[in-house]
Amino acid sequence: MLDIKNLKAKLDEEDKQILNGINLKIGKGEVHAIMGPNGSGKSTLSKIISGAPGYEPTEGEVLLNGKNLLDMTADERAKEGVFLAFQYPVEIPGVNNGSFLRMAYNAKQKYQGNKELDPLEFEALLEEKLKLLNMDPSFLERSVNHGFSGGEKKRNEILQMLVLDPQVVILDETDSGLDIDALRDVAEAVNHFKNEDKAVIIITHYQRLLNYIKPDFVHVISKGSLIKSGSKDLALELEEKGYDWLVEPVKA
Amino acid sequence: MSQKKIEDIANKEYEYGWKTDIEMDISPKGLNEDIVRLISKKKKEPEWLLDFRLKAYRYWLTLEEPTWSKVNYPKIDFQDIHYWAAPKKKVTLDSLDDVDPELKRTFEKLGIPIVEQKRLANVAVDAIFDSVSVATTYQKKLLEHGVVFCPLSEALENYPELVKQYLGSVVPHTDNYYAALNAAVFTEGSFVYIPKDTVCPMELSTYFRINTEGAGQFERTLIVCEDNSKVSYLEGCTAPAFDTNQLHAAVVELVALEKADIKYSTVQNWYAGTPETGAGGIYNFVTKRGKCIGKGSKISWTQVETGSAITWKYPSCVLIGDESIGEFYSVALTNNFQEADTGSKMIHIGKNTKSTIVSKGISAGKSANTYRGLVQINKSAKGAENFTQCDSMLIGSKCSANTYPYIDVRNSSSTVGHEAATVKVSEEQIHYFEQRGIPAEEALGSIVNGFCKDVFDVLPTEFAVEANQLMELKLENTVG
Ligand SMILES: Nc1ncnc2c1ncn2[C@@H]1O[C@H](COP(=O)(O)OP(=O)(O)O)[C@@H](O)[C@H]1O
Ligand SMILES: [Mg+2]
C-alpha cells in the first residue's frame, strides 16, 4: 500500500542530508513500528511523507497505491488518505476545534465527491468517537490544541484520525508523555480503527504502546538509514538492550 | 515548499477595478476660491454654506500637510485634482425609475442593487458616484417612521435648519488639515436624522464609488440621533484601478443625544494599487468622530479596512454625557505595499463614561500596519473606564506592525486596562491544516478570521459574511 523507495532528504536551508535512502514497504492491514535513537530521522521521515515545510526530498519516491505522494500538495496527500499524528501538535489560537474538525472532514468528503455535513449532522458523527477516546465534548469549543495539555493534544490527534478515517496513519511518538489511562484510550482507539484495509506506522521508543498494538514488523532507523528490521520480538530485545548493540557495529 | 510559502504574497486581482463610461461634468483641475464657489453653486447652496466653505478654505491655506503618521507617500499635488465630477445627465431623485440605467448597472455590478427588493431587502442604500448621490432607496418608507435618510444636498433643501445646526459641530474645519480641506470642497455625503423615541426600522447604508480618474472624493456624512433612538449605519466603498493615486478625504460626524445609540460600520475596500509597486491606490485620509452629548448615549464604530494604498483614520468618540459609552472595533488588513495608520480616540468628559477599543491589525506582504490610539480621561470624568486591546498578526516576514497607545488619565477614580499581543502565522500552523486536507489558503483564512472574531461578531449580520469573504479574497495567494 505504502512503498518508500530509496528516500533521501535534507533540510531546505542546509545541505546536511538527514535521510540517506530509506526503503520500506508497508502492506494493507499491517502494523509497522519504527524505533531508533533521538535525532535519527524518524520525524523527518514522517514530515517528508506529509509534505511539511522546511524539508526537501532529494531522491526517491513514496508511493501510495502506486501514486507518488511527493508530487502532490500536502492537502492532496491528506485527502488521498495519509494521516500524520504529529509528535508536537501545533497550537492554533482563535480557530474553533469543532469547526476545524468539520472543515477537515468536509474537505475530504468534497474531494471524494461525497456529501458534506452540516454542524448538526457532524455532531452526531463525533459523539461516538469522543466517547471512544473518553473526551468531553467541551473540547470542541476550545481553540485547536490551544492550551491543551500534552495528553489532550495527543487525544485530539487521534480524534482527528478517527474522523478522517485515513488509509495510512503515522503515529509519531503519540505515546510519549501519556499517562496510563490516556495510553490505553489512544491504543484502544487505534485498535478500533485498524482493519485489513489500513496501514499503521508507529514511531515509538517504548514497548508499552506495542503491548497494546501488536506490530507485524519492527524497524530501527539510525542516522537516517534503516539498519535493522525484524518481528515484534525485536522491540522487546531493544527494550532490554537499548540501541547500542545495533549502532556500534556500524561505527566500527 | 519553503519559507517563501507564506511570503509569496500577491493580491488577488481587485474585483472592482473597472470604470463606468458615462458622460461627466468635470471641473478643471486645481483648487482656488473659484472652485470652492463653483462647487457651492453647482449644489445651489445657501449663502451661509458658501461662507462655511470659504472660511475653511482660507484656514486650510494656512496649514501644513501633517507628517506625524507612519505612512509614507509622495507629496500630494492639490492643484492636480478635479474637485467636481458628476454624471452629466441630470439625476432626478424623485423616483428610482429615473436613475440612469448605466449607473444602475454600475451599482448592480458592485453588488449594490438600487432597487427596493432583492438581496439587501432590509437595507436602505444611498449610492454616491464621484461627487453626487445617484439614488437613495426606501426613503419614503423611512419617512413614515420620521427617519430622514438622504444625500446631504437634498437635506440642505428640505431640512436646512438641522444641517446648519449640526454641520461642523463635531468636526470643525479647524480640526486638522484634511478636515479643513473637506469642509472647503465636500461635494456629497449622506444625512441621517432619527427623531425621538425611534428605532430606525432598517439598516442604512451609503456606498461610495470613485469613478473619474484624477478626481478626489470629499464626502461628508452627518448622522443625528435624538433622545431614546437607535440607528445602525454602514458605509462601503470601491474605486477603479487607475495608474495615478487618488485622494479621498472624508468627514463623518455623529451626534447622539440622550440615550441615543448609533452604530457606524465601515467596510472599506478602495483600490490598493498594484501588488507589485502599490501604484495607483487610493489615499484615504478620513476624520470620523462622534459626540455622545446626551446622558447614557452610545456610539459604536466598527471598521473593516482592507483597501487603499494609504489609510489614515481614527474614528473617535467624545463622551460628554454622563454614563455615555464609546466603542471602537477594528480590523485593518494590509497587504503588498499598503500602509495603514489607524486607531481611535476616546475622550472622556462625563462621569462614569465607558469606552472599549478592540483593534486587530493584520499585515502581509511588505505592508505596514500601525495602531495609534488615545484614551484621554479628563478631570471631570469621575469613575470613567476604558479597556483597550490591540493585537497584531504578521503573515510572512517582510511586513511590519506598530502600536502607539497613548493614555492620559487626569483623575484617580478611573480605570484603564490595556492588552496587546503580536502573533505570527507560522508555516507549521498552515501545514497542520494541510495535513488534515485543508488547502493553505483556506487555512490562512480560517486563522485570520479566528483572529478577527471579536470584531466580526459586532458587525451587522448582513455584512459579517461579506467581511469574512472579503478578507479571504484579500489574502488569496498569500500562501501557496
Ligand atoms: N527543522 C530542523 N532544523 C534543524 N535541524 C533539524 C530540523 N528537523 C530535524 N533536524 C535534524 O535532523 C535530524 C533528525 O531529526 P528528527 O527527524 O526529528 O529525529 P527523530 O524524530 O528521529 O528524533 C536531527 O539531527 C535533527 O537535529
Ligand atoms: Mg521525532
Side-chain angles (χ1 to χ4, degrees):
Chain A
M1 179 180 232
L2 190 72
D3 195 355
I4 303 171
K5 287 184 174 167
N6 189 32
L7 183 62
K8 298 185 181 174
K10 69 177 201 60
L11 292 175
D12 262 353
E13 268 142 40
E14 277 176 52
D15 279 336
K16 192 181 102 180
Q17 187 147 313
I18 301 179
L19 298 181
N20 305 314
I22 303 267
N23 288 289
L24 193 57
K25 258 197 164 78
I26 294 158
K28 265 190 183 177
E30 295 176 358
V31 176
H32 290 238
I34 296 181
M35 307 182 81
N38 289 328
S40 58
K42 304 183 296 297
S43 291
T44 302
L45 174 63
S46 60
K47 285 178 179 169
I48 287 286
I49 295 173
S50 79
Y55 300 84
E56 197 185 309
T58 51
E59 228 184 290
E61 50 191 5
V62 179
L63 304 175
L64 174 66
N65 301 324
K67 286 194 240 176
N68 190 0
L69 291 174
L70 303 183
D71 295 336
M72 301 177 197
T73 60
D75 61 295
E76 280 166 357
R77 300 179 198 194
K79 285 178 284 210
E80 286 287 327
V82 176
F83 183 91
L84 168 59
F86 289 92
Q87 184 175 359
Y88 304 108
V90 66
E91 301 196 358
I92 310 175
V95 176
N96 177 273
N97 202 29
S99 312
F100 176 80
L101 272 170
R102 191 167 72 90
M103 211 191 303
Y105 180 81
N106 281 341
K108 183 173 174 179
Q109 289 293 98
K110 195 171 157 194
Y111 187 76
Q112 298 180 337
N114 295 327
K115 180 177 173 281
E116 298 179 42
L117 297 188
D118 67 31
L120 276 179
E121 294 167 322
F122 188 64
E123 204 173 297
L125 176 133
L126 276 181
E127 203 178 293
E128 159 230 4
K129 299 179 174 16
L130 285 166
K131 275 211 191 96
L132 196 64
L133 280 161
N134 277 314
M135 285 174 82
D136 194 277
S138 65
F139 263 97
L140 304 174
E141 302 309 315
R142 295 167 66 179
S143 292
V144 180
N145 296 327
H146 187 53
F148 283 24
S149 72
E152 288 169 345
K153 283 182 184 164
K154 298 298 178 73
R155 281 181 204 260
N156 204 32
E157 294 290 288
I158 300 304
L159 175 64
Q160 293 173 1
M161 178 193 80
L162 294 180
V163 167
L164 294 174
D165 194 32
Q167 294 193 52
V168 178
V169 307
I170 307 169
L171 308 178
D172 191 356
E173 296 202 29
T174 299
D175 53 341
S176 297
L178 291 188
D179 63 25
I180 299 162
D181 289 343
L183 183 74
R184 194 198 51 230
D185 288 344
V186 162
E188 273 177 12
V190 174
N191 280 329
H192 173 90
F193 160 82
K194 80 180 170 61
N195 60 35
E196 62 275 13
D197 290 325
K198 311 285 188 191
V200 178
I201 301 170
I202 301 174
I203 298 174
T204 182
H205 288 299
Y206 308 104
Q207 176 61 35
R208 54 176 202 163
L209 181 63
L210 303 180
N211 288 337
Y212 285 104
I213 313 169
K214 299 271 181 307
D216 301 301
F217 301 93
V218 175
H219 312 278
V220 179
I221 290 184
S222 172
K223 299 195 177 118
S225 301
L226 208 154
I227 57 165
K228 192 166 176 68
S229 295
S231 69
K232 65 180 187 324
D233 297 336
L234 177 57
L236 291 167
E237 202 175 349
L238 290 168
E239 179 106 323
E240 199 180 309
K241 298 201 225 166
Y243 297 115
D244 288 355
W245 62 284
L246 281 175
V247 180
E248 286 305 310
V250 180
K251 270 189 190 165
Chain B
M1 265 176 300
S2 65
Q3 183 58 30
K4 261 188 86 201
K5 201 159 178 276
I6 289 185
E7 288 175 5
D8 252 354
I9 294 173
N11 234 336
K12 186 197 144 87
E13 199 139 340
Y14 182 66
E15 281 187 272
Y16 305 109
W18 41 271
K19 179 181 187 247
T20 307
D21 264 322
I22 192 166
E23 256 199 298
M24 296 290 285
D25 168 21
I26 300 173
S27 74
K29 279 184 175 175
L31 180 55
N32 49 55
E33 284 205 11
D34 287 343
I35 288 287
V36 175
R37 284 175 202 280
L38 176 91
I39 293 169
S40 195
K41 197 168 155 212
K42 292 245 181 227
K43 302 194 79 72
K44 304 195 185 75
E45 287 175 354
E47 194 63 26
W48 68 265
L49 196 51
L50 176 61
D51 290 343
F52 176 100
R53 290 176 179 280
L54 288 171
K55 208 155 101 191
Y57 175 67
R58 288 168 196 152
Y59 180 73
W60 179 76
L61 286 176
T62 69
L63 301 176
E64 294 280 331
E65 204 175 331
T67 54
W68 47 263
S69 72
K70 285 282 283 185
V71 296
N72 297 300
Y73 55 95
K75 221 169 157 39
I76 297 171
D77 182 355
F78 290 94
Q79 299 305 333
D80 195 31
I81 294 172
H82 298 289
Y83 288 83
W84 174 265
K88 259 203 179 134
K89 235 182 259 173
K90 174 79 185 100
V91 201
T92 45
L93 295 163
D94 298 338
S95 163
L96 294 178
D97 300 335
D98 298 339
V99 176
D100 185 325
E102 190 56 41
L103 291 171
K104 263 191 174 165
R105 265 196 297 279
T106 296
F107 282 93
E108 185 87 27
K109 213 166 143 190
L110 294 167
I112 312 294
I114 313 180
V115 279
E116 294 186 347
Q117 323 99 17
K118 287 215 179 165
R119 196 173 54 92
L120 297 173
N122 195 36
V123 182
V125 178
D126 186 12
I128 294 183
F129 187 85
D130 284 333
S131 302
V132 290
S133 167
V134 297
T136 311
T137 61
Y138 295 113
Q139 278 184 295
K140 282 203 186 85
K141 189 177 162 194
L142 288 166
L143 257 184
E144 285 166 19
H145 295 81
V147 171
V148 178
F149 177 46
C150 65
L152 194 58
S153 42
E154 207 178 306
L156 272 165
E157 269 173 53
N158 299 332
Y159 313 94
E161 289 313 310
L162 274 176
V163 177
K164 194 172 177 185
Q165 184 182 352
Y166 290 109
L167 193 77
S169 73
V170 183
V171 180
H173 69 268
T174 51
D175 191 81
N176 69 67
Y177 188 80
Y178 297 102
L181 177 65
N182 176 287
V185 299
F186 73 90
T187 46
E188 196 57 285
S190 295
F191 175 73
V192 175
Y193 176 78
I194 317 285
K196 269 189 187 174
D197 305 316
T198 305
V199 174
C200 182
M202 307 180 106
E203 291 278 340
L204 305 183
S205 173
T206 303
Y207 194 91
F208 295 96
R209 174 72 174 168
I210 295 180
N211 192 64
T212 303
E213 182 156 21
Q217 194 174 50
F218 305 92
E219 86 264 6
R220 196 161 180 117
T221 293
L222 174 59
I223 299 178
V224 178
C225 203
E226 294 270 9
D227 297 355
N228 299 309
S229 291
K230 189 169 174 171
V231 65
S232 171
Y233 175 95
L234 182 120
E235 149 202 304
C237 23
T238 57
F242 291 127
D243 300 335
T244 51
N245 299 85
Q246 278 180 293
L247 180 61
H248 172 256
V251 167
V252 174
E253 299 180 282
L254 311 183
V255 177
L257 301 180
E258 207 166 305
K259 292 214 180 76
D261 183 338
I262 303 178
K263 183 181 177 72
Y264 191 107
S265 314
T266 303
V267 177
Q268 188 258 109
N269 187 19
W270 292 120
Y271 180 54
T274 64
E276 295 78 25
T277 62
I282 298 284
Y283 294 160
N284 190 34
F285 298 99
V286 172
T287 306
K288 290 184 166 168
R289 190 172 310 149
K291 253 189 191 172
C292 281
I293 295 176
K295 188 174 173 188
S297 57
K298 177 175 171 187
I299 288 179
S300 182
W301 299 99
T302 306
Q303 60 173 21
V304 178
E305 301 280 326
T306 65
S308 297
I310 291 174
T311 296
W312 180 98
K313 172 178 172 191
Y314 316 90
S316 306
C317 297
V318 185
L319 304 171
I320 300 166
D322 291 350
E323 282 142 48
S324 59
I325 296 171
E327 292 177 341
F328 173 73
Y329 291 93
S330 170
V331 165
L333 171 83
T334 54
N335 196 353
N336 301 314
F337 289 86
Q338 286 177 278
E339 300 175 73
D341 192 311
T342 183
S344 183
K345 285 193 275 185
M346 293 291 172
I347 313 294
H348 293 253
I349 295 168
K351 289 193 202 69
N352 301 316
T353 45
K354 278 202 185 97
S355 65
T356 305
I357 295 175
V358 177
S359 161
K360 306 276 179 177
I362 301 149
S363 334
K366 294 179 177 157
S367 68
N369 205 322
T370 299
Y371 168 83
R372 188 186 302 276
L374 169 68
V375 176
Q376 181 183 317
I377 299 187
N378 287 6
K379 211 165 164 204
S380 55
K382 302 268 187 310
E385 287 174 33
N386 161 266
F387 174 72
T388 298
Q389 182 180 346
C390 44
D391 297 335
S392 309
M393 175 176 266
L394 301 173
I395 300 171
S397 56
K398 292 182 186 127
C399 52
S400 67
N402 292 287
T403 57
Y404 300 99
Y406 302 100
I407 298 169
D408 176 6
V409 181
R410 302 175 191 171
N411 74 51
S412 57
S413 61
S414 296
T415 53
V416 174
H418 183 91
E419 283 176 14
T422 300
V423 295
K424 203 169 173 347
V425 179
S426 72
E427 297 194 314
E428 222 188 326
Q429 289 174 321
I430 301 286
H431 181 61
Y432 193 81
F433 278 83
E434 290 181 308
Q435 214 306 300
R436 303 307 184 234
I438 302 160
E441 279 177 7
E442 268 175 62
L444 186 63
S446 172
I447 292 172
V448 168
N449 282 325
F451 178 73
C452 301
K453 190 171 179 301
D454 293 346
V455 177
F456 287 166
D457 281 353
V458 298
L459 270 180
T461 40
E462 281 89 342
F463 301 101
V465 178
E466 288 187 31
N468 232 307
Q469 287 165 350
L470 181 59
M471 300 288 284
E472 267 161 35
L473 281 180
K474 286 277 160 175
L475 286 166
E476 222 163 76
N477 304 321
T478 301
V479 295

